[in-house]
Amino acid sequence: MADVSTATPTPPLAAPAVAPPTGPAAEREEAQGPDPNATETLYVRNLNEKVKIPVLKTSLRSLFKTYGEVLDVVAHHNIRMRGQAFVSFADKTIAEKALREVRGFPLYGQPLAIEFAKSRSDAVLKKTDPSSLPQHLSDRKAHKVLQRRNNPLRQKQVSKLRAAYLASQGQPAGAPGAPAAEAAAAARPQVQMPDEYLPPNAILFVQNLPAGTGRARLEELFSQYPNLSEIRLIPNRADIAFVEYADEASSSVAREALHNYRIDGETKMKVTFARK
């Protein structure tokens, strides 16, 4: 799918001939033997952000396939992943050789910064150890939940919401009766959980859309993530929409990537799970 960038990049690279290092430095590097931290996946940084994602992925695949089979190239245009990519090989030794020889290569005018990824990619596990893939996905999801829960900004927001509720009940924050009051409030159907803390749902609720955002623009954004099922616009409400995926895992990936994305360069789009 086309990237949202409007810049016109240089045409995709043909597979460049990257000469292996020579001289004393290369000999010392070879003499050190295999890197104990090596993994099958390389984490590539300092990529040119003006290059469209499909072109960038094609160029990276062309660059690295000279070293062996490239299982997958992962790159996204969201703010968190801009200028970065992951390139997965079937073998650690291939990845190590590619890292050593391609590090610093000027791709689209910027020298590549490359290191080994900290964990094995989905593509690697699918090929080398498919039985461990479900546990790998489960562990990653749990890790993301823990990261969000321990995020200082999130904790600050939760504290503000709790303090505001207690103030509305005439209790100061931290009052002895506060936990009991909060438990009682949770049992009241009229008190709704904030959108940000709703449980996972295959359907996403998209808010704060700027005027003129149509179905085509939403499809362009959300179809970057697999298993998109349907986009539903609301008559007479141009600022909201519902986006449905085939499963909760797919919708979670899209929500994580696109929540607070500046859809027009200024307006932050709010993406949460829809209420069940």
Side-chain angles (χ1 to χ4, degrees), residues 135-148 200 248-249 252:
Q135 185 61 47
H136 169 78
L137 295 175
S138 176
D139 291 345
R140 183 172 64 195
K141 184 175 181 180
H143 178 67
K144 285 185 176 180
V145 169
L146 187 62
Q147 277 188 318
R148 288 197 294 270
E248 293 177 355
S252 297

Side-chain angles (χ1 to χ4, degrees), residues 156-221:
K156 185 177 180 180
Q157 186 178 26
V158 170
S159 297
K160 285 184 177 180
L161 290 170
R162 181 179 294 115
Y165 167 74
L166 292 175
S168 71
Q169 300 299 307
Q171 297 188 44
E182 289 180 90
R188 297 172 190 163
Q190 67 271 25
V191 179
Q192 288 191 322
M193 181 182 295
D195 291 346
E196 290 80 358
Y197 311 124
L198 290 170
N201 190 344
I203 301 174
L204 299 176
F205 181 38
V206 185
Q207 305 174 68
N208 203 31
L209 294 172
T213 304
R215 183 186 302 275
R217 179 67 172 124
L218 292 175
E219 286 182 351
E220 184 180 28
L221 284 174

Side-chain angles (χ1 to χ4, degrees), residues 3 18 34 53 68 71 73 115 124 128 169 188 190 193 213 215 255 267:
D3 178 279
V18 183
I53 294 299
L71 298 181
V73 177
E115 56 192 84
V124 170
T128 62
Q169 300 299 307
R188 297 172 190 163
Q190 67 271 25
M193 181 182 295
T213 304
R215 183 186 302 275
R255 174 186 175 277
T267 307

Side-chain angles (χ1 to χ4, degrees), residues 54-67:
V55 176
L56 183 63
K57 292 173 71 173
T58 299
S59 298
L60 288 171
R61 188 176 289 274
S62 297
L63 177 62
F64 284 103
K65 73 180 182 181
T66 58
Y67 296 93

